[in-house]
Amino acid sequence: MRSSRRYLYLGLFVLLAVGAWTGFWFYLAGKVRDGIDAWVAQQEAQGIQVAYTDLSISGYPYRIEVVAQDITVAGPNLPGKGALAVPRLTVLSLPWNPRLVVAGIEGEVLFRWTDPKGAEQRATYKAASTGISVGFADGKPDRFAFSGDRPVVTATTLAAPVTAKVFEIHARRLDGGAAPAAGGAAPTAPLLGELAIDGEAIRLPPDARNPLGPEIDRLALTVGLAGPLPPVAPGQNLRTIVDAWARGGGTVELTRGEVKWGSLNLTLTGSFAVDREMRPMGAISGRIGGLEPLIDAAVAEGRLNDGQARSIKQALGAIGFIARDQEGRVPVSATLQDGRIMVGPVPVGELQPIF
C-alpha cells in the first residue's frame, strides 16, 4: 500500500510539473508574440514599415523558436529610403536563459537604398550559413556576434562580387571598463564598447590600381570607442556628434590589427581621434613587411616622389638588417597630424576631413 501511494504521489507530481511547465511555455510564447507586435508598432510610429507573410512560434518543450517568412523592412521617409528583405529568419531562445538569443538567416538578403544623386542602388547577401547571436544584460543588448560561412556580397556599386571563406563581426558593451591591448600590453583608455572584425580569404573586385591584388588572406581588427558620448538630439547630424565626442576627449583605440594582403604583412596597434577640421589624427605602431608595392604605387600616383620613396626603402632596409622578425617584418611607427601621415620624419600621404 505504501509503495503504491509513493508511485501515485510521484505520478501526480510529474503531471503537475509537466502541466506547470506547459503553462509557463505557452505564457512565454504569448509574451514573445506580444513583444514582436509591440516592436512592429513602435517601428511604424517612427516611420519604419515592417511586414512578414508568416510568423510561427514553436519549440515546445525545450526552447522558444520563432520563424518569420518574407520579412520586409522599409523606411520610405528616412534619408536614403533604405529597405531590407529577408526570405527566412529563425530565432531561438531557451526559456531558462532569456539573456541569450540566437538566430539564423536563410536565402538571399536584399538591400535597397537611394544614393545622394537620387539613383536607386541594390545589394545582396547570401552565405552557406549565417548565424547571429545577441546577449543581454540588465535588459539591454550587451554582446552581438555575426558569422557568415562563405558569404557572397553583390551590389550595383561594385564591379564584381565580394566573397570570403569566413567573415565574422563581434561587438560588446564595456561601460567604460579598460580592455587589455593585444600581446598583453597595458590596458588602453577605458572603453565604452569594442568591435572586432575577422575575415579569411576575402576576395575583392579586381582593380588595376590596387598594387596588392584582389585577395586578402587574413583581416583581423579590434577597435574600441573611448570617451563620453555626447547627448544626441533628434535630427542632429553626424559631424556635430563626432565633433562633440572628440572635444570631450573621445578616441578610437586599435588594440589589434592584422593584415595579410598580397605582399603586405602587418600587425598594428594605435590610438586615433579627429582634429578641429575633422581629419584623423593619432599614432600607430607595429610591424610591417612587403611595403614596397605600396611605396611604388604611391610614387606612380604622385603621392611620393622618387627621393621620398628611396628614403623610406633605405630606412626599412636598415631597420630590417637588425630587427627583422621571422616573417620578414620590421618595426614601424607613424603619426597622423595636421592632415599628414608621417613615417618618422618622412611624409607619406595626406588626410582629408571625414565629413
Side-chain angles (χ1 to χ4, degrees):
M1 290 291 292
R2 290 180 179 177
S3 177
S4 298
R5 288 179 181 176
R6 186 180 301 113
Y7 286 118
L8 176 62
Y9 294 150
L10 179 61
L12 289 174
F13 174 79
V14 171
L15 288 175
L16 288 173
V18 171
W21 179 257
T22 300
F24 177 65
W25 188 93
F26 280 97
Y27 167 79
L28 285 180
K31 294 290 287 183
V32 168
R33 184 174 289 276
D34 291 343
I36 293 172
D37 293 340
W39 180 81
V40 171
Q42 183 183 33
Q43 303 312 305
E44 291 282 354
Q46 297 177 0
I48 301 175
Q49 303 169 357
V50 181
Y52 46 83
T53 60
D54 183 62
L55 179 71
S56 64
I57 301 178
S58 60
Y60 176 82
Y62 303 114
R63 64 185 186 273
I64 300 290
E65 180 175 327
V66 180
V67 178
Q69 304 276 3
D70 301 321
I71 306 167
T72 58
V73 181
N77 299 320
L78 299 180
K81 301 178 181 180
L84 167 70
V86 181
R88 180 184 173 94
L89 175 67
T90 301
V91 182
L92 300 175
S93 179
L94 300 177
W96 57 86
N97 185 19
R99 293 181 298 176
L100 177 64
V101 175
V102 298
I105 295 175
E106 298 176 39
E108 186 175 77
V109 178
L110 172 65
F111 303 87
R112 289 187 292 106
W113 72 95
T114 301
D115 66 19
K117 296 182 179 180
E120 183 179 281
Q121 304 292 348
R122 297 165 62 91
T124 64
Y125 165 88
K126 63 180 179 180
S129 65
T130 300
I132 300 170
S133 68
V134 181
F136 294 85
D138 302 324
K140 299 179 181 179
D142 184 62
R143 291 176 178 268
F144 170 83
F146 169 93
S147 179
D149 179 24
R150 296 190 295 280
V152 179
V153 175
T154 67
T156 53
T157 55
L158 296 173
V162 176
T163 65
K165 179 180 179 182
V166 64
F167 190 81
E168 297 181 349
I169 300 173
H170 297 266
R172 59 175 178 166
R173 181 163 53 92
L174 295 173
D175 294 328
T188 66
L191 301 179
L192 298 175
E194 194 172 56
L195 174 69
I197 298 175
D198 289 87
E200 294 182 13
I202 302 170
R203 188 164 187 85
L204 306 175
D207 185 349
R209 298 170 299 175
N210 181 358
L212 298 176
E215 185 153 332
I216 303 174
D217 296 322
R218 168 77 171 146
L219 172 66
L221 300 172
T222 301
V223 297
L225 185 68
L229 293 178
V232 179
Q236 193 174 31
N237 64 54
L238 187 57
R239 178 191 171 94
T240 301
I241 298 170
V242 172
D243 182 60
W245 164 75
R247 289 174 183 269
T251 61
V252 173
E253 304 292 331
L254 174 64
T255 57
R256 179 187 60 145
E258 301 176 18
V259 178
K260 290 186 177 181
W261 184 357
S263 64
L264 184 65
N265 183 357
L266 66 83
T267 60
L268 294 175
T269 60
S271 181
F272 307 91
V274 293
D275 62 19
R276 296 296 180 93
E277 298 182 23
M278 290 288 112
R279 298 173 302 192
M281 66 177 186
I284 56 176
S285 62
R287 285 184 168 271
I288 191 167
L291 195 60
E292 288 78 9
L294 288 178
I295 298 173
D296 295 338
V299 172
E301 295 174 4
R303 293 185 285 111
L304 287 177
N305 59 45
D306 291 334
Q308 290 172 326
R310 187 164 49 252
S311 297
I312 294 173
K313 289 181 180 180
Q314 289 174 349
L316 291 173
I319 296 171
F321 182 74
I322 58 174
R324 193 182 303 273
D325 66 11
Q326 293 181 346
E327 296 189 36
R329 299 173 301 190
V330 300
V332 66
S333 62
T335 58
L336 289 66
Q337 190 171 4
D338 299 328
R340 295 187 299 176
I341 304 174
M342 307 286 293
V343 176
V346 181
V348 296
E350 295 185 355
L351 297 166
Q352 300 298 321
I354 58 177
F355 297 106

